[in-house]
Amino acid sequence: MPKINKVVTTVWYNKQDMYTLRRVFPEAQFVYVDFYDKDTLAREAKDADAAILMGDVDPCLLGENSLKWIHCDHAGLNGSARPEVFARGIPVTGAAGRSAPVLAEHAVYFMLQYCYHTKELLQAQSKGQWGVEGSAQWRGLYGRTAGIIGMGNNGRMLAKRLAAFGMKVMAYDKFPIQDDEGELAVKLSAAAGDTIDPILEQADFVVLCLALTDETFHLMDYKAFSKMKKGAFLVNIARGGVVCTEDLVRALDEGLIGGAGLDVFEQEPLPADHPLWQQPNVYITPHCTPQVPHRAGRSIEIIRENARRFEAGEPLLNLMRPTDAVTGEAQSGWSRMMNARLTREQAEKMDLEKYLGKRDWKDPSEWM
């Protein structure tokens, strides 16, 4: 069986979580490297068995080294699913599922904003105005139909919550869907020859929870919006590229759909002059879902289980697949920062804790 004798990591955890992560590999040499110090990372990887990374697989890890497993501590593996990474033959895993409960809440947040006409109510509140015209026709979630496209961790969590609201839940996935608790009224899968059309035609709320791949890029285009039920609301908590932004704006302008809740965009940050900001029935969050309690702890449990599976020769969780690849996807600002080669002086000037959270330690000896 394979053995993990050395681990190199770049993750940005606080002292207690670094202490816990280090003890996932109690018998291994454990080396911390600043994510921007690519030369040291490449050097330490030469005789390492595993790399636990904050960002995507960096090119510096694709040279001559002994790596047998790379873990990227974030959910989406699109940035790592590159031909040169697959050619290297190192298994790559991610942290999908660690934030699924709050991502499901995020979708419900958007849906309730639309049902309760939050923008109109806040405007009325600011004016001291009692009552909003048309409120007698507003409807809540109960008894309405939600269609979830993508039944991975996020989709399954969302289905449970929407069923609890008394909604009819339709679901679509690439693979056959398990529904042990009977929460789904309709189960569709590409494997069975189904399409998303029934969801588009029947759902009051269409929620995107699927991965961005070449297959799903611009899945929601003008043709798809044209099939949506009149007044239906789109929610995107997946990836920006799943939606054609230009077609979404057109569909909103033409009244093909009732509105949208958007946390992710093809271009991030969304430019201040973008027309989506001014759409009356569009609710925007800047790619910022609140964290689950102790998110790093959930990540570490995924790493712990994969370390066990690695040494036992079992299939790894959240293993990157060729279908995770997306041709020509623009890098987000976060990805660009992870790939940057910075000096320590440049990094300190950036105030990394502002972007990555408080770390509460300066030297690995504090938790090693």
Side-chain angles (χ1 to χ4, degrees):
M1 292 296 180
K3 185 74 175 174
I4 299 175
N5 295 307
K6 179 179 178 181
V7 179
V8 59
T9 187
T10 63
V11 293
W12 187 278
Y13 291 167
N14 65 32
K15 187 189 304 183
Q16 181 59 51
D17 290 328
M18 292 301 298
Y19 178 90
T20 303
L21 176 63
R22 194 269 170 273
R23 277 145 190 84
V24 169
F25 308 94
E27 299 177 6
Q29 180 185 359
F30 194 86
V31 179
Y32 171 81
V33 179
D34 290 318
F35 72 87
Y36 50 83
D37 189 352
K38 309 301 184 185
D39 293 335
T40 301
L41 180 59
R43 184 171 64 252
E44 292 292 349
K46 283 188 178 298
D47 61 345
D49 299 292
I52 312 297
L53 308 177
M54 180 163 57
D56 296 320
V57 177
D58 194 272
C60 76
L61 296 177
L62 302 180
E64 293 185 8
N65 57 55
S66 57
L67 287 173
K68 303 176 186 67
W69 167 39
I70 297 176
H71 180 83
C72 299
D73 192 39
H74 53 93
L77 293 174
N78 307 123
S80 295
R82 311 188 304 272
E84 63 270 25
V85 179
F86 287 112
R88 184 65 174 76
I90 304 172
V92 178
T93 59
R98 66 178 181 178
S99 297
V102 290
L103 280 164
E105 291 175 12
H106 202 146
V108 175
Y109 160 80
F110 279 136
M111 295 164 71
L112 289 173
Q113 292 235 67
Y114 184 59
C115 287
Y116 284 83
H117 295 248
T118 299
K119 289 186 178 182
E120 294 98 312
L121 287 175
L122 288 176
Q123 289 172 1
Q125 179 178 330
S126 67
K127 299 174 185 175
Q129 172 186 319
W130 183 263
V132 175
E133 184 177 353
S135 60
Q137 282 73 51
W138 296 354
R139 293 182 59 195
L141 296 178
Y142 178 79
R144 301 177 81 179
T145 299
I148 303 172
I149 301 177
M151 288 299 292
N153 294 294
N154 301 337
R156 292 195 300 272
M157 287 283 184
L158 179 60
K160 291 180 180 296
R161 285 149 178 77
L162 298 185
F165 274 107
M167 299 190 77
K168 174 184 176 181
V169 182
M170 306 175 69
Y172 174 91
D173 197 76
K174 183 174 183 178
F175 305 103
I177 298 170
Q178 299 298 315
D179 182 25
D180 297 334
E181 298 182 29
E183 295 160 335
L184 304 177
V186 177
K187 293 177 287 186
L188 305 168
S189 73
D194 300 319
T195 71
I196 64 172
D197 286 0
I199 285 178
L200 299 180
E201 294 162 359
Q202 300 174 40
D204 300 296
F205 299 87
V206 175
V207 187
L208 305 177
C209 296
L210 69 171
L212 175 62
T213 67
D214 282 340
E215 189 177 12
T216 63
F217 179 73
H218 283 188
L219 176 74
M220 296 302 298
D221 57 10
Y222 187 78
K223 182 179 180 181
F225 293 127
S226 299
K227 294 178 181 179
M228 285 178 65
K229 183 178 179 180
K230 183 73 173 179
F233 188 76
L234 176 76
V235 175
N236 189 5
I237 55 167
R239 289 290 184 267
V242 176
V243 175
C244 176
T245 308
E246 181 180 352
D247 289 357
L248 173 60
V249 173
R250 180 182 173 190
L252 290 163
D253 288 340
E254 295 179 3
L256 295 182
I257 64 175
L262 307 170
D263 182 56
V264 289
F265 303 86
E266 291 189 89
Q267 181 181 359
E268 295 183 0
L270 188 67
D273 60 351
H274 198 282
L276 282 174
W277 289 112
Q278 306 306 321
Q279 291 282 349
N281 289 331
V282 170
Y283 297 87
I284 290 174
T285 53
H287 206 153
C288 64
T289 298
Q291 291 192 19
V292 293
H294 199 195
R295 185 176 71 171
R298 290 174 64 89
S299 284
I300 292 169
E301 289 312 304
I302 294 171
I303 296 168
R304 187 191 307 278
E305 174 61 15
N306 268 342
R308 184 197 68 77
R309 291 180 178 221
F310 178 88
E311 294 195 334
E314 299 176 7
L316 300 177
L317 295 174
N318 298 336
L319 185 65
M320 185 176 74
R321 301 168 296 184
T323 52
D324 290 318
V326 182
T327 304
E329 184 192 10
Q331 264 194 343
S332 68
W334 186 84
S335 296
R336 287 193 298 272
M337 183 167 67
M338 292 301 99
N339 291 338
R341 284 178 174 268
L342 305 173
T343 64
R344 184 171 298 278
E345 292 73 21
Q346 289 172 320
E348 289 174 350
K349 288 180 180 178
M350 287 182 68
D351 186 15
L352 292 176
E353 288 194 346
K354 174 182 177 181
Y355 303 100
L356 304 175
K358 190 159 184 65
R359 194 166 66 170
D360 78 359
W361 60 271
K362 292 186 179 299
D363 190 276
S365 63
E366 298 178 49
W367 47 261
M368 191 71 77

